[in-house]
């Protein structure tokens, strides 16, 4: 409108994101409808309206200004929850494949983990280049669409959408597993508990709750502390016996150890990389200088992720822990190090809390990608609308329904969901980095060769993981993700054709 409020007018509360501003100079006075004007006349309509107000709260003015700027110490836990929480299921997913080969299969855990750690570093460095090139936020859909064309952009969006749906399902499944490991009597109720948690996330996000402030940073920091203590105690105990690995329980090999088993384990363990893209999407949410703070935060996140992932695998190897269906690997490690006391409860509670926060991350990004698709006429325009609480309500509802269907269909089993996860994640990674290679080749500015090399390395490794996951896990469920990407591309192209025709 030609005028923007002074910075002093747009400072939100300590834990909040919406700021009411005075009318802009030279603008006509605001016209508002009274609450009574929107009350339906029928009895059923009035009842539905009151239920809506109880669930969602009072409607917010559409003239409120959304403002959310985070310093690095807050942005790190808020935006890293998805990536760091994957330590709770990534190593276990890898070990669950290797254990099929018995003791010989488990002997491959360290070299495969080292390869995944290198992959984390390579992709993290490549996303540092993405942040420099797209200082206003560069998700896979935008980067691939700008540099590779419409269809690659839509395929990247399909990978992202699949990733976000599975982030909710996998995070909730893993969080419920952490709870049932501590309280085994709840094991039979895992599916209803997960459905209730997704419903709670739906209600909370429809009310406009966002990941901002110290309140949402606490679970991630608690998880980092719990994992650091767990790894330190495990390594200290191993040092007392000269770092000799403890004997694992007797194992019966059900598969031969070979390249196929190692590739399956590698693609399963690589799901620990989910969420690395989150910071490159959220560059505008940082305090100035935004892109520099985002790159610094990304570096911290990748180093923490590598340390926690490698430390967990090392302690599992030294303690002789193997996956089982009754208790998670992290719970077994915590029992060995802390017994059943306060530190064990703290570790399990922190794990469940950070997984819940990781699931909530998808509620920020999924509706935003749908909004971008709808803006480009590749999705119905209802996804452009803001709800009563200035949140993209239609996208939030769609994500909740899809995640609930997937969670129930796979009985809330993390191991069953992992094969679907890797395909979408690394498809988006590969296309984003391929788009950055084209970007640097076209631009050829200062240091373009170095940036192109980093992005080409990250893209090549991501493509290899995508192909590996697609081949080795196709019959285990990856075909669902591949089919979903194909259907998504078909539907979005038909929607665009419809709008072009209109």
């Amino acid at each position: 409108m030609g005028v923007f409020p002074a910075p002093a007018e747009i400072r939100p509360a300590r834990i909040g994101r919406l700021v009411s501003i005075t009318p802009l100079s030279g603008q006509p006075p605001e016209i508002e409808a009274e609450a009574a004007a929107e009350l339906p006349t029928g009895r059923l309509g009035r009842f539905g309206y009151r239920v809506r107000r109880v669930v969602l709260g009072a409607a917010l003015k559409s003239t409120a200004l959304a403002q959310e700027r985070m310093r690095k110490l807050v942005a790190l836990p808020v935006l890293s929850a998805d990536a760091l929480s994957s330590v709770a299921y990534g190593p276990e997913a890898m070990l669950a494949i290797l254990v099929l080969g018995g003791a010989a299969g488990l002997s491959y855990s360290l070299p495969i983990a080292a390869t995944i750690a290198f992959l984390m570093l390579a992709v993290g460095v490549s996303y540092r280049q993405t942040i420099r090139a797209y200082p206003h936020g560069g998700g896979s859909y935008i980067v691939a669409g700008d540099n590779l064309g419409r269809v690659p952009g839509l395929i990247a969006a399909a990978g992202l959408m699949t990733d976000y749906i599975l982030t909710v399902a996998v995070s909730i499944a893993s969080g419920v597993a952490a709870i049932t490991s501590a309280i085994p009597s709840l094991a039979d109720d895992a599916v209803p508990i997960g459905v209730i948690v997704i419903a709670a996330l739906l209600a909370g996000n429809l009310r406009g709750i966002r990941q901002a402030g110290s309140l949402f940073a606490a679970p991630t920091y608690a998880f980092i502390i719990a994992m650091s203590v767990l790894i330190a105690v495990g390594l200290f105990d191993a040092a007392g016996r000269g770092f000799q690995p403890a004997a694992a329980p007797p194992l019966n090999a059900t598969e031969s150890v070979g390249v196929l088993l190692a590739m399956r384990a590698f693609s399963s363990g690589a799901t620990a990389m989910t969420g690395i893209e989150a910071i490159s999407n959220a560059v505008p949410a940082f305090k100035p200088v935004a892109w520099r703070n985002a790159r610094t935060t990304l570096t911290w996140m990748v180093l923490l992720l590598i340390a926690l992932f490698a430390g967990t695998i090392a302690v599992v190897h030294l303690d002789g822990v193997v996956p089982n269906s009754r208790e998670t690997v992290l719970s077994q490690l915590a029992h060995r190090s802390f017994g059943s006391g306060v530190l064990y409860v703290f570790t399990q509670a922190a794990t469940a809390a950070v997984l819940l926060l990781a699931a909530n991350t998808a509620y920020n990004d999924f509706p935003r990608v749908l909004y971008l698709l709808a803006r480009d006429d590749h999705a119905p325009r209802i996804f452009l609308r803001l709800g009563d609480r200035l949140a993209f309500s239609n996208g939030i509802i769609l994500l909740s329904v899809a995640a609930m269907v997937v969670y129930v269909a796979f009985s809330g089993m993390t191991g069953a969901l992992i094969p679907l996860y890797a395909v979408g994640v690394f498809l988006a990674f590969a296309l984003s980095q391929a788009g950055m290679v084209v970007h640097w080749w076209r631009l050829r500015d200062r240091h373009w060769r170095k940036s192109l090399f980093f992005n080409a390395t990250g893209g090549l490794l991501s493509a290899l993981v995508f192909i590996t996951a697609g081949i080795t896990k196709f019959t285990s469920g990856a075909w669902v993700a591949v089919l979903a990407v194909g259907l998504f591309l078909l539907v979005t192209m038909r929607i665009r054709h419809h709008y072009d025709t209109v």
Side-chain angles (χ1 to χ4, degrees):
M1 301 199 310
V3 181
F4 198 76
E9 286 192 61
I10 54 173
R11 290 178 181 168
R14 182 173 177 82
I15 301 176
R17 59 184 289 269
L18 295 170
V19 183
S20 295
I21 58 174
T22 57
L24 300 178
S25 58
Q27 300 300 325
E30 182 181 342
I31 300 174
E32 295 184 15
E34 296 179 358
E38 65 172 356
L39 187 65
T41 54
R43 182 178 299 176
L44 187 61
R46 286 196 298 271
F47 174 76
Y49 173 82
R50 292 191 178 94
V51 170
R52 184 185 180 92
R53 293 282 71 84
V54 169
V55 173
L56 302 183
L60 296 173
K61 292 181 182 180
S62 58
T63 52
L65 182 66
Q67 176 74 5
E68 185 175 5
R69 289 277 184 168
M70 295 180 285
R71 64 186 190 276
K72 295 192 289 289
L73 286 176
V74 173
L76 174 66
V78 167
L79 298 175
S80 302
D82 188 6
L84 297 181
S85 68
S86 60
V87 174
Y89 52 80
E92 182 164 5
M94 181 187 79
L95 295 169
I97 301 297
L98 291 177
V99 78
L100 299 176
L106 288 175
S107 66
Y108 284 88
S109 62
L110 294 182
I112 292 175
T115 306
I116 293 172
F118 173 76
L119 181 61
M120 290 174 178
L121 182 63
V123 173
V125 171
S126 65
Y127 268 108
R128 279 176 56 89
Q129 314 312 311
T130 302
I131 290 172
R132 181 164 74 88
Y134 286 84
H136 301 294
S140 296
Y141 172 62
I142 293 174
V143 174
D146 283 355
N147 298 288
L148 301 178
R150 179 190 299 179
V151 172
L154 289 174
I155 295 173
L160 279 178
M161 307 285 268
T162 307
D163 177 22
Y164 293 139
I165 292 169
L166 289 168
T167 291
V168 177
V170 171
S171 295
I172 296 300
S174 191
V176 171
I179 294 171
T180 56
S181 294
I183 311 173
S185 59
L186 296 177
D188 293 337
D189 300 317
V191 172
I193 291 172
V195 170
I196 291 170
V197 172
I198 294 174
L201 286 173
L202 168 63
N205 280 276
L206 286 178
R207 290 181 69 92
I209 291 175
R210 283 294 177 270
Q211 296 177 159
S214 303
L215 178 66
F216 291 94
T220 308
Y221 277 129
F223 180 71
I224 292 172
I225 292 169
M227 289 301 300
S228 300
V229 173
L230 179 63
I231 292 168
V233 171
L235 292 176
F236 180 79
D237 290 343
R241 59 177 187 270
F243 290 102
Q244 289 296 320
L251 298 172
N252 294 320
T254 57
E255 292 188 22
S256 59
V257 179
V259 175
L260 186 61
L261 185 72
M263 289 173 64
R264 285 167 55 200
F266 171 70
S267 60
S268 291
T271 56
M273 293 176 56
T274 58
I276 285 182
E277 188 190 55
I279 291 177
S280 69
N281 282 334
V283 177
F286 285 82
K287 288 183 179 293
V289 177
W291 69 269
R292 186 175 295 131
N293 289 333
R295 279 165 64 99
T296 302
T297 306
L298 176 64
T299 302
W300 292 351
M301 181 191 75
V302 171
L303 293 177
L304 273 172
L305 178 60
I306 292 172
L308 296 181
F309 178 82
T312 301
I313 293 294
V315 174
V316 167
H317 175 73
L318 291 169
D319 283 1
V321 171
V322 297
N324 67 61
S325 58
R326 300 179 304 279
E327 187 177 12
T328 65
V329 165
L330 283 187
S331 178
Q332 293 182 63
L333 290 177
H335 264 138
R336 286 170 177 252
S337 298
F338 308 138
S340 299
V342 174
L343 282 177
Y344 171 78
V345 174
F346 174 74
T347 301
Q348 293 304 101
T351 302
V354 78
L355 286 163
L356 178 61
L357 181 58
N360 198 56
T361 302
Y363 280 90
N364 274 343
D365 294 335
F366 182 92
R368 210 169 283 167
V369 175
L370 261 180
Y371 167 84
L372 294 173
L373 287 166
R375 187 189 65 182
D376 296 338
D377 289 339
H378 289 297
R381 290 177 183 166
I382 59 170
F383 295 114
L384 292 172
R385 300 175 188 167
L386 290 171
D388 289 348
R389 303 287 292 184
L390 304 188
F392 292 110
S393 303
N394 294 318
I396 290 169
I397 293 170
L398 178 62
L399 171 60
S400 300
V401 171
M404 203 174 291
V405 168
V406 171
Y407 181 84
V408 173
F410 287 85
S411 303
M413 302 296 293
T414 308
L417 291 164
I418 289 294
L420 285 75
Y421 210 0
V423 172
V425 172
F426 286 96
L427 176 60
F429 281 178
L431 287 170
S432 175
Q433 300 312 305
M436 288 306 304
V437 170
V438 174
H439 171 84
W440 295 123
W441 179 257
R442 288 173 177 169
L443 191 61
R444 301 188 198 181
D445 64 349
R446 187 184 177 191
H447 303 312
W448 71 273
R449 289 184 177 85
K450 180 181 71 173
S451 298
L452 188 148
F453 171 76
F454 287 141
N455 284 123
T457 302
L460 178 62
L461 293 175
S462 297
L464 288 174
V465 178
F466 166 68
I467 294 169
T468 300
I471 294 174
T472 60
K473 295 181 175 297
F474 188 81
T475 56
S476 302
W479 66 270
V480 177
V482 174
L483 179 63
V485 169
L487 289 175
F488 179 89
L489 182 62
L490 175 64
V491 169
T492 52
M493 293 296 287
R494 293 299 302 168
I495 290 172
R496 176 61 184 262
H497 176 72
H498 164 77
Y499 281 125
D500 287 345
T501 303
V502 172

